Amino acid sequence: METSSKIANNLIKNVRIDETVKLSTLWEGGTSCVIHFMRRFGCPVCRMGARDLSSLKPLLDSANVRLVGIGHEELGAQEFLNTGYWKGELYTDMHKKTYSDLKFKRYNVLNIMRALILPETVDAISKAHKEGIVGNLSGDSLQIGGTLIVDKDGKILLNFKQESPSHHVPLDQILHVLGIKRNQRSLSVDTASSN
């Protein structure tokens, strides 16, 4: 199983309280975490993905799992928070060190244009707009993100890398990796998986 030691000492900055911490502080102290690396705060598809992932927050909270978002620039971070689409903690990785260390894809001008006209990207943008999720063109649109699940011991349980702007880890996969069962009346946590 992959460990987080390669990224543990990378610095991230808390958007809400303007404090810089090591990435490892997210999972130290006996807490697992879902860390969502965002492509761009102004992207409507990213906002929709953040909203969808945030819908898991009550389940994650009940299982003592932190929900953390990380962007690679401050531009648009406050507006992103104000939209209310993201319910978890929010940080920035200003030097994109973690994005680089995790080998998240970075487009160039030509291949981002191709990625934006892929049918799944066009469909996702259309869906976001139909749901009233708008964005802007501000910021670096060439960086792609992903999602990590790190357990309390620093083991990476999931390292999901986006292949296109609309590519997000399925929510049920996140719950499965964490051993959280979702049903209509109650929450069941497989304690062997979450400890």
Side-chain angles (χ1 to χ4, degrees):
M1 189 175 300
E2 194 176 3
T3 67
S4 58
S5 58
K6 183 176 185 178
I7 59 172
N9 291 319
N10 291 357
L11 298 177
I12 54 174
K13 183 176 166 186
N14 189 310
V15 172
R16 287 186 173 100
I17 60 174
D18 197 29
E19 174 186 44
T20 301
V21 297
K22 288 182 180 179
L23 194 63
S24 62
T25 62
L26 299 178
W27 57 82
E28 290 174 345
T31 306
S32 298
C33 57
V34 175
I35 308 171
H36 182 60
F37 291 87
M38 304 196 194
R39 191 176 88 74
R40 191 170 60 83
F41 289 127
C43 168
V45 175
C46 301
R47 289 177 174 189
M48 184 170 62
R51 180 211 56 197
D52 293 349
L53 185 50
S54 287
S55 72
L56 295 181
K57 190 168 186 331
L59 291 172
L60 297 176
D61 287 348
S62 295
N64 194 33
V65 176
R66 291 171 82 171
L67 178 61
V68 177
I70 298 179
H72 57 81
E73 60 189 344
E74 288 184 343
L75 183 63
Q78 198 57 53
E79 178 188 349
F80 181 76
L81 279 176
N82 294 342
T83 64
Y85 296 125
W86 185 249
K87 304 298 183 199
E89 302 166 53
L90 190 63
Y91 294 83
T92 56
D93 176 2
M94 296 301 296
H95 302 290
K96 300 180 188 174
K97 175 117 176 73
T98 309
Y99 284 77
S100 174
D101 288 347
L102 293 171
K103 299 187 181 346
F104 288 145
K105 185 190 291 187
R106 183 159 175 81
Y107 286 114
N108 62 39
V109 175
L110 293 176
N111 57 19
I112 188 64
M113 297 309 280
R114 275 180 263 173
L116 291 174
I117 60 170
L118 288 171
E120 60 265 22
T121 305
V122 171
D123 289 347
I125 292 169
S126 176
K127 181 179 178 192
H129 286 194
K130 284 178 185 168
E131 294 182 16
I133 301 171
V134 296
N136 58 56
L137 298 176
S138 300
D140 177 0
S141 61
L142 302 180
Q143 183 64 57
I144 293 292
T147 304
L148 286 183
I149 297 178
V150 182
D151 76 5
K152 63 182 180 149
D153 298 317
K155 291 184 187 119
I156 296 177
L157 306 177
L158 175 75
N159 183 354
F160 175 86
K161 295 177 171 102
Q162 284 184 303
E163 291 298 322
S164 71
S166 63
H167 189 213
H168 291 93
V169 64
L171 300 181
D172 286 337
Q173 184 177 357
I174 291 171
L175 295 176
H176 175 75
V177 167
L178 290 165
I180 299 172
K181 293 186 170 89
R182 177 175 24 189
N183 66 39
Q184 295 179 16
R185 293 191 179 153
S186 66
L187 166 70
S188 170
V189 178
D190 178 355
T191 53
S193 299
S194 61
N195 286 333

